[in-house]
Structure formats: structure tokens, C-alpha cells
Amino acid sequence: MSLLKEHEQREVGEAIARVERDTDAEIVSVLAPRADDYAYIPLLWAGLVALIVPGALALLAGWFGLDVFWTGPWIVLLVQWALFAVLAILFRLPGVITRLIPRHVRFWRAANLARRQFLEQNLHRTEAGTGVLIFVSEAERYVEILVDQGISSRLDNAAWADIVADFTQKVRAGQTQQGFLDCVEACGALLKTHVPATHDRDELPNRLIVLDHNDIG
């Protein structure tokens, strides 16, 4: 996972400005490193493993008549504590924690953050309800396009499906900037046809907004 450099962010903003010349839509793009810190996930998994595994192994050893040093109750308890401490640290590693979170939970958190950003970036306050949010959460490999009623009344949500699918593939391949550029151009082609420019205005900033951990919490 690598958030975009300044010149890459600038190129995305320039692409948005070009597209908006031909449409009344107001496009805002948002990139988040992740949708949640998932602080409770490592503790939950570490607790479950530490609670179940040592006791289960001690029980199996007793069944098979094996004489191992950690079958005593106090030893099992110490092993559980040590295992919990080690796993709680190990499970916080970025490459590990993502695999511990169910896909539907990751997407649920990302979808919530996207809707929050739609409101925080004032996309619901454009003059003709023409706000368009292009949202990406890198850790979750999640992409969504949200539009206000002025766009949804002219374009069905299914119109964005192929664009989102293509962008998602690029995020998975580590091509986030190219994904943004292609997405902006593809959205622009649709919006030029269905929401063409009727007058010159620019209500929202034409730049890529990169969230930090404070914006996510």
C-alpha cells in the first residue's frame, strides 16, 4: 500500500478540472489509507487463540497420556498470557491484520467512511445536486462512486459498475494513480453525455483529498 506522491495527486486534480469543463457535475476524489484502525481485531483474535489453543493441547496430551511440562493449570495460564502478548503484537502487522478481518466488515467500514466523506466534502450542497464522489480505501481495496440526486436522476447506479470494477482491479495491482485517472476520464465521458455543462461554475475543489489517521477515527 502506497499513498500517492504530491505530483501524482496534482495530476488527478488536473484531470478532474479538465473533465468538469464539459459537465455540470462537481467531482471530488478521496483516498484513504484504510477505513478503520481495527484496533480491537488483533486483541480479539489473540484472546481467542490464547484461550483455546494451550488448553486444547493440554487436554489432548492428557487423553493420550503424554507427560508434557505445560499441562499443569498454572503453566497453562502462563502460556496463555505469553501467547496472547505475542499474538497481540504479531496480529497488528499490516500484512496480517487485513487477513484477520472478514471481507464484509472491511467493506462495511469503507462504505461508512465513503458516506461520511460525501457529507464532509459538501457534495450534498451543490446548487443542482450534481456532486460526485470517487472514493478509494487502499487497505480494503475498496472503490465506490457516490452521486447526489441531480446525477442519480439521470444516470442509474449500474452505470458506474464497470468503472468501479476496473478501478478496483488497478488498486489491487498497486496502480492507484492510474486507476484515478482512468476513473475520472470514464466518469467524465458519462457525465458529458448525461449531465452536460450549461454554465461555467466550480463549487468544489478540483484536487485529490488524501485522508490521514485523524480523518478516519
Side-chain angles (χ1 to χ4, degrees):
M1 179 174 61
S2 57
L3 295 180
L4 305 186
K5 299 179 176 64
E6 281 192 27
H7 75 275
E8 294 174 320
Q9 297 176 31
R10 189 165 55 249
E11 288 173 6
V12 174
E14 291 168 354
I16 293 173
R18 286 195 302 271
V19 162
E20 286 190 352
R21 294 178 193 140
D22 299 319
T23 176
D24 279 346
E26 290 289 336
I27 301 173
V28 172
S29 57
V30 174
L31 174 61
R34 61 177 63 247
D36 196 333
D37 61 10
Y38 303 109
Y40 62 95
I41 295 292
L43 298 177
L44 177 62
W45 278 103
L48 287 173
V49 174
L51 181 65
I52 294 170
V53 172
L57 291 177
L59 184 60
L60 287 173
W63 282 353
F64 289 101
L66 300 177
D67 186 17
V68 291
F69 75 94
W70 43 267
T71 55
W74 287 106
I75 300 297
V76 170
L77 186 59
L78 289 174
V79 171
Q80 286 178 325
W81 288 348
L83 189 59
F84 174 80
V86 171
L87 292 178
I89 296 171
L90 178 64
F91 289 167
R92 286 196 66 82
L93 296 176
V96 178
I97 188 172
T98 302
R99 291 173 172 79
L100 297 176
I101 306 166
R103 185 171 180 267
H104 72 275
V105 172
R106 288 184 279 122
F107 280 16
W108 173 63
R109 294 299 299 159
N112 282 349
L113 181 58
R115 280 147 186 78
R116 215 172 81 202
Q117 284 301 307
F118 192 90
L119 299 177
E120 290 183 8
Q121 303 306 329
N122 292 315
L123 282 152
H124 62 304
R125 293 193 175 185
T126 59
E127 182 181 330
T130 55
V132 178
L133 173 66
I134 301 173
F135 175 85
V136 177
S137 187
E138 277 202 315
E140 288 80 6
R141 308 294 189 260
Y142 182 86
V143 177
E144 187 169 10
I145 296 174
L146 295 174
V147 301
D148 205 356
Q149 53 85 23
I151 305 293
S152 61
S153 63
R154 308 185 201 186
L155 271 167
D156 188 84
N157 284 338
W160 313 104
D162 289 342
I163 300 174
V164 168
D166 179 71
F167 197 171
T168 302
Q169 288 299 321
K170 286 186 172 66
V171 172
R172 287 174 179 163
Q175 301 170 353
T176 302
Q177 190 219 16
Q178 190 59 50
F180 267 114
L181 295 175
D182 292 346
C183 181
V184 169
E185 291 298 326
C187 289
L190 275 175
L191 294 167
K192 180 180 179 180
T193 301
H194 297 276
V195 194
T198 58
H199 58 281
D200 185 21
R201 72 176 176 212
D202 195 9
E203 299 177 64
L204 298 173
N206 301 323
R207 64 185 178 89
L208 174 62
I209 298 165
V210 180
L211 304 182
D212 60 25
H213 296 291
N214 293 326
D215 299 311
I216 295 166

